[in-house]
Amino acid sequence: MARLYQNPKGTKDVLPEEQQYWKHIETTMQRVAELYGYEKLTLPIFEETALFRRGVGEGTDIVEKEMYTFSDKGGSSMTLRPEFTAGVVRAYLQNGMASRTRPVKLWSAGPVFRYERPQAGRYRQFTQFNVEAIGELDPALDFEIMSAAWHLYDALGFRKLNFQINSIGCPLCRPGYLRKLKDYYRGRLSGICDDCRTRIEKNPLRLLDCKNASCRPVIETAPSIGDCLCAECGDHFRTLRGYLDSLSRPYTVNPRLVRGLDYYTKTVFEVWAEGIGAQNAVCGGGRYDGLIELLGGPPTPAVGFAAGIERMVLTLQAHEISVPPIPSPKVYFVCLDDTARAEAVSLISRVRLAGVEAVMGFGGRSLKAQLREADRKGIPLAVILGSDEIRSQKAQVKHMQSGTQDMVPLSELPAFLTARTG
Ligand code: ATP
Ligand code: MG
């Protein structure tokens, strides 16, 4: 006997029972994108490896440990996308979108791949909703991006969300801060983990989000970047906070919130949800004013966010938020013999064309077995077709719940069923 196969570790089958959550999230996010004037961009799932090495950054966990990289049959190195932004910027530059009216506002959604240690809410294939606005430095655009995230979670019915924001400065002011941070850490080498000892030289900003318990107290008392921002970054952050305050959007300034790479600038933010365990970040975003130039384009500011759809599903379930059901069959065609089945196949197609969800019984099963199936599936109406019905050109329509029946001429069936299920 052949062996049974298993899905790869860190991947997930989304069964029909869970699809209503996905559909609801997909419809809601598409609507939010439309409300804010973002246009859809569909991208390949794999790109040249070099794009991610540069666009995500050497020295990140993603590039160092987590990419699904392979040689294709032609010997080129390809990588399954571990995030969207690099691909969006590649497409923006390649398709001459820089000449469009700015900002260019784009959204995408689909699977991303990271070789991580799987846990609840953390997978190796997961799905992101990604939103980017390219070509504008105005803090009102940072606010718009954050508002879109807010709007999405609000429309989904999430409560108790925690918006964490910070500014990580720019190539003007960050080096001064990093000097302070490195000096601080060099004086505490014995108290920190091995990873952090290498981070001091390699990626010092990442020191601030080390998850190792021994490093926590060191992080607590580390210098804050907020005290080192240049005038432009300080103004930008103050203006953004002013917008957030005016709309009374609760948020926490978290001086430890970072993105570890030089081309991330100014605003960073995350949204945390309650009740879904340790992996509680449903959304991460920020500015990347240096990335477009780094990928060969002209200096261009940009800001965006990515939200994980699996964690949104977990949040909806944890908070017991009800979502619209996916339309299910309203009518079951019971066929009692072959003549009836021949009539049923054409009748049912007319009923479906009229917009009524309908299914039929297959094979030679008894009346009882077919009605039991309709009942088990919660289908409200059954059309019973046997040779008598075909001869008289009238069918019995049984209301499954009450048990009452109507005799309906076959020619009137589509209209009758539309009226009864509408
Ligand atoms: P985390 O700190 O949880 O690892 P991250 O900073 O790596 O998140 P981003 O790269 O900013 O996450 O991705 C944005 C969002 O994608 C996250 O907020 C989260 O909702 C989701 N996400 C990230 N990694 C995973 C994963 N392995 N499985 C499921 N969702 C994920
Ligand atoms: Mg991560």
Side-chain angles (χ1 to χ4, degrees):
M1 213 167 62
R3 74 179 177 97
L4 291 176
Y5 299 94
Q6 303 259 315
N7 64 314
K9 196 173 161 190
T11 66
K12 190 172 165 354
D13 300 322
V14 181
L15 300 183
E17 295 73 27
E18 210 173 76
Q19 294 292 346
Q20 56 190 351
Y21 293 99
W22 284 78
K23 183 176 175 185
H24 183 51
I25 292 168
E26 281 157 7
T27 324
T28 310
M29 71 196 194
Q30 177 142 2
R31 184 63 194 138
V32 169
E34 288 163 3
L35 282 170
Y36 286 72
Y38 287 70
E39 296 177 296
K40 186 167 184 182
L41 174 68
T42 306
L43 295 170
I45 282 176
F46 61 93
E47 301 265 4
E48 217 184 303
T49 301
L51 172 70
F52 297 122
R53 298 196 77 88
R54 198 159 176 84
V56 177
E58 309 278 355
T60 57
D61 281 355
I62 291 182
V63 167
E64 282 191 343
K65 308 181 204 156
E66 298 176 355
M67 294 208 300
Y68 281 86
T69 297
F70 60 96
S71 295
D72 68 13
K73 303 268 184 226
S76 306
S77 180
M78 296 291 161
T79 294
L80 300 182
R81 65 181 173 212
E83 55 105 54
F84 274 92
T85 309
V88 173
V89 171
R90 194 267 308 140
Y92 169 88
L93 292 171
Q94 183 182 343
N95 295 290
M97 293 169 107
S99 63
R100 299 189 182 187
T101 317
R102 291 171 171 208
V104 177
K105 307 203 295 186
L106 301 164
W107 73 277
S108 308
V112 296
F113 304 84
R114 296 181 192 173
Y115 192 80
E116 299 204 69
R117 195 164 66 78
Q119 303 162 53
R122 184 172 296 284
Y123 310 98
R124 289 179 175 173
Q125 175 178 334
F126 58 103
T127 318
Q128 282 186 340
F129 171 50
N130 188 79
V131 180
E132 314 280 6
I134 304 175
E136 183 56 70
L137 189 57
D138 189 340
L141 191 57
D142 305 47
F143 177 70
E144 178 176 283
I145 282 284
M146 295 180 70
S147 296
W150 195 289
H151 199 129
L152 171 65
Y153 299 128
D154 213 40
L156 289 173
F158 289 16
R159 298 290 172 263
K160 297 200 195 150
L161 286 175
N162 192 337
F163 262 73
Q164 300 273 319
I165 71 168
N166 193 21
S167 174
I168 56 169
C170 69
L172 267 182
C173 52
R174 200 180 309 136
Y177 171 69
L178 293 182
R179 270 195 301 279
K180 274 175 115 176
L181 187 66
K182 287 182 186 176
D183 284 348
Y184 168 84
Y185 266 86
R186 285 192 190 111
R188 288 166 179 78
L189 288 179
S190 56
I192 61 175
C193 71
D194 289 346
D195 281 347
C196 280
R197 269 182 226 120
T198 55
R199 282 187 184 117
I200 296 176
E201 300 309 326
K202 219 170 72 181
N203 199 349
L205 211 51
R206 277 285 178 203
L207 288 163
L208 295 175
D209 70 355
C210 179
K211 303 284 185 288
N212 217 310
S214 64
C215 298
R216 291 267 165 73
V218 186
I219 295 171
E220 290 282 307
T221 53
S224 272
I225 191 158
D227 303 329
C228 300
L229 296 179
C230 62
E232 187 191 282
C233 288
D235 283 347
H236 190 276
F237 197 42
R238 258 189 304 281
T239 309
L240 171 60
R241 290 181 59 184
Y243 294 143
L244 290 164
D245 292 336
S246 72
L247 264 187
S248 57
R249 300 247 138 120
Y251 63 89
T252 310
V253 176
N254 175 353
R256 314 285 172 238
L257 191 68
V258 292
R259 305 248 128 186
L261 293 153
D262 285 351
Y263 47 80
Y264 289 112
T265 47
K266 297 186 168 66
T267 316
V268 294
F269 71 97
E270 279 189 3
V271 184
W272 299 347
E274 273 185 18
I276 62 166
Q279 312 308 324
N280 65 350
V282 285
C283 171
R287 262 201 177 271
Y288 48 97
D289 294 342
L291 179 60
I292 290 137
E293 190 176 9
L294 192 81
L295 290 177
T300 311
V303 56
F305 76 81
I309 298 183
E310 286 80 1
R311 290 186 198 172
M312 290 190 230
V313 173
L314 287 173
T315 308
L316 288 172
Q317 291 169 337
H319 296 194
E320 293 178 359
I321 297 170
S322 63
V323 300
I326 291 176
S328 56
K330 304 294 184 298
V331 183
Y332 188 104
F333 279 78
V334 175
C335 307
L336 298 181
D337 56 35
D338 292 344
T339 339
R341 186 164 300 104
E343 184 71 33
V345 292
S346 79
L347 263 179
I348 197 171
S349 62
R350 277 158 54 206
V351 168
R352 287 170 178 156
L353 278 175
V356 177
E357 298 87 349
V359 295
M360 61 182 278
F362 298 106
R365 286 181 301 157
S366 68
L367 170 66
K368 210 169 136 196
Q370 293 183 59
L371 285 177
R372 200 162 46 225
E373 185 192 342
D375 192 46
R376 225 181 10 244
K377 291 187 167 153
I379 300 174
L381 297 173
V383 177
I384 301 166
L385 291 172
S387 40
D388 289 351
E389 283 78 9
I390 304 306
R391 222 173 296 118
S392 64
Q393 286 292 297
K394 284 185 184 147
Q396 285 185 51
V397 179
K398 184 176 159 106
H399 299 251
M400 296 297 290
Q401 231 174 21
S402 62
T404 57
Q405 308 209 354
D406 288 298
M407 269 305 217
V408 182
L410 298 188
S411 58
E412 290 168 23
L413 211 48
F416 178 86
L417 294 172
T418 309
R420 283 304 166 89
T421 58

